[in-house]
Amino acid sequence: MIPVLSNSSVSMRDPKRVEQILTSMRNAGASTLQVISDFDMTLTRFACNGKRCPTSHNILDNSKLISEDCKAKLKNLLDTYYPIEIDSTRSVEEKLPLMVEWWTKAHELLVQQKIIKDRLALVVRESEAKLRDGYQQFFDHLHQLSVPLLIFSAGIGDVLEEVIRQAGVFHPNVKVFSNYMDFDESGVLRAFKGELIHIYNKREGALLNTEHFKELQSRSNVLLLGDSLGDLNMADGVMDLQNILKIGYLNDKDNEHRPKISKIRMDSVILFSVCWNIILLFFFYMIWIVCIVPSAHS
């Protein structure tokens, strides 16, 4: 077995199938690979020193740009809807309208705050948002090998782009599909652009961007990263797909959910604890790079 697959943090429904996919992707080489990833709690850390790290929405929610009254309302929305999002006993069909309701209400509250565009960079700088340890290697190697990194996020595109930019890894190969703010001529938030992207409609977002996927038609191998069941369909717009390796973080999903999630959809879904260095090991294995990856957690 490929060494990384025997790591105690890795759980697979069909290890042999996963090994076949990895071997095929490795033989095809980096020129056939593209990476499709969620952002919040996938590329960013879930927690640090026992404390939850903020999502791109939370960065704004907790900032000085938001009034105390608005913060209280946003917190109430979080307390109401987040337990629903992670409730494994509810179906996606049941959750879907509630997630739309949550995102819509939150965005309406943010618009009411008349957020100024020029202040977003400072808000991100003052936040506790953190990309996962080892991110520099991951982003930089993708860039050096010209491997596209497509980020599909239900968060706020303007904020998450700033997180990546301030980390110094917003390379030309990175493309973000997310909820973007619409500012007026004075730089004041007046609305959100386009269709709402929430945790359970990233598939639709992917399919809406089929023109972009056409540009990547020769890249028929996909490494997909996410932390929720809604992330499983992010690669649905990929044309002429040959192999896909889906890697998921459990984060705050209790280990008792692991058996249930591991049986869903593709037998190539892999579930991890919080070890980001394993992602690096998979990536380096696929592109034939021999290196030493430091131990790095969440």
Side-chain angles (χ1 to χ4, degrees):
M1 179 180 287
I2 298 170
V4 68
L5 299 183
S6 61
N7 190 290
S8 61
S9 296
V10 179
S11 176
M12 297 163 287
R13 178 183 176 186
D14 188 343
K16 289 185 178 180
R17 174 60 180 154
V18 172
E19 188 163 2
Q20 289 172 356
I21 291 171
L22 271 172
T23 301
S24 178
M25 294 171 79
R26 181 179 186 181
N27 290 340
S31 64
T32 68
L33 178 66
Q34 59 179 295
V35 178
I36 299 176
S37 181
D38 170 49
F39 184 73
D40 291 314
M41 310 308 171
T42 297
L43 294 179
T44 61
R45 296 179 66 160
F46 175 74
C48 181
N49 298 324
K51 182 180 178 181
R52 282 286 300 267
C53 291
T55 65
S56 54
H57 271 109
N58 297 153
I59 290 172
L60 273 183
D61 297 353
N62 301 329
S63 75
K64 298 175 183 178
L65 302 183
I66 307 300
S67 69
E68 292 304 315
D69 178 63
C70 184
K71 286 180 181 179
K73 291 177 180 178
L74 289 168
K75 178 64 165 56
N76 183 58
L77 290 177
L78 177 68
D79 293 342
T80 300
Y81 292 101
Y82 185 67
I84 297 173
E85 177 189 326
I86 64 173
D87 185 352
S88 64
T89 67
R90 295 181 183 238
S91 67
V92 171
E93 290 73 22
E94 184 181 358
K95 294 179 181 181
L96 184 57
L98 297 172
M99 295 301 101
V100 172
E101 189 174 276
W102 179 12
W103 260 257
T104 300
K105 289 180 178 179
H107 285 181
E108 288 174 349
L109 286 171
L110 291 176
V111 170
Q112 292 172 15
Q113 296 300 292
K114 300 187 182 299
I115 294 168
I116 298 174
K117 182 178 183 179
D118 290 345
R119 296 182 182 176
L120 291 180
L122 179 60
V123 165
V124 170
R125 194 171 296 114
E126 293 178 340
S127 76
E128 296 182 354
K130 302 176 185 297
L131 292 174
R132 289 188 185 265
D133 292 344
Y135 75 86
Q136 188 89 41
Q137 283 182 294
F138 185 68
F139 277 81
D140 286 353
H141 278 296
L142 286 174
H143 179 224
Q144 291 163 11
L145 293 163
S146 299
V147 175
L149 171 57
L150 311 182
I151 299 174
F152 284 89
S153 174
I156 300 177
D158 310 79
V159 175
L160 72 85
E161 280 195 7
E162 190 61 33
V163 172
I164 300 171
R165 188 175 294 110
Q166 290 186 16
V169 291
F170 204 145
H171 302 308
N173 63 312
V174 177
K175 176 70 175 178
V176 178
F177 302 94
S178 187
N179 297 300
Y180 281 90
M181 296 175 162
D182 184 16
F183 298 94
D184 64 20
E185 60 278 1
S186 299
V188 177
L189 178 63
R190 61 184 176 187
F192 277 81
K193 299 176 182 177
E195 295 295 322
L196 173 69
I197 298 178
H198 55 78
I199 191 171
Y200 288 114
N201 75 340
K202 291 183 182 180
R203 175 180 182 275
E204 285 69 23
L207 295 178
L208 284 173
N209 287 283
T210 51
E211 287 301 315
H212 182 77
F213 281 123
K214 285 181 181 178
E215 300 174 12
L216 304 173
Q217 196 164 356
S218 64
R219 294 183 177 273
S220 55
N221 292 315
V222 175
L223 174 62
L224 187 148
L225 310 175
D227 75 327
S228 74
L229 298 181
D231 294 333
L232 287 173
N233 297 320
M234 291 190 296
D236 283 3
V238 176
M239 305 179 73
D240 301 322
L241 180 66
Q242 293 296 314
N243 296 289
I244 181 167
L245 184 67
K246 298 183 178 181
I247 301 177
Y249 282 97
L250 286 177
N251 287 328
D252 59 341
K253 286 75 175 178
D254 192 274
N255 281 341
E256 69 184 52
H257 298 157
R258 183 184 295 244
K260 176 180 178 180
I261 297 174
S262 66
K263 295 177 181 178
I264 294 177
R265 306 292 175 87
M266 296 285 289
D267 55 11
S268 59
V269 174
I270 299 176
L271 307 175
F272 294 96
S273 67
V274 294
C275 297
W276 178 245
N277 61 313
I278 296 176
I279 299 290
L280 293 173
L281 288 171
F282 269 102
F283 175 63
F284 291 136
Y285 180 86
M286 279 189 277
I287 61 176
W288 294 81
I289 288 180
V290 178
C291 66
I292 298 175
V293 181
S295 177
H297 298 277
S298 187

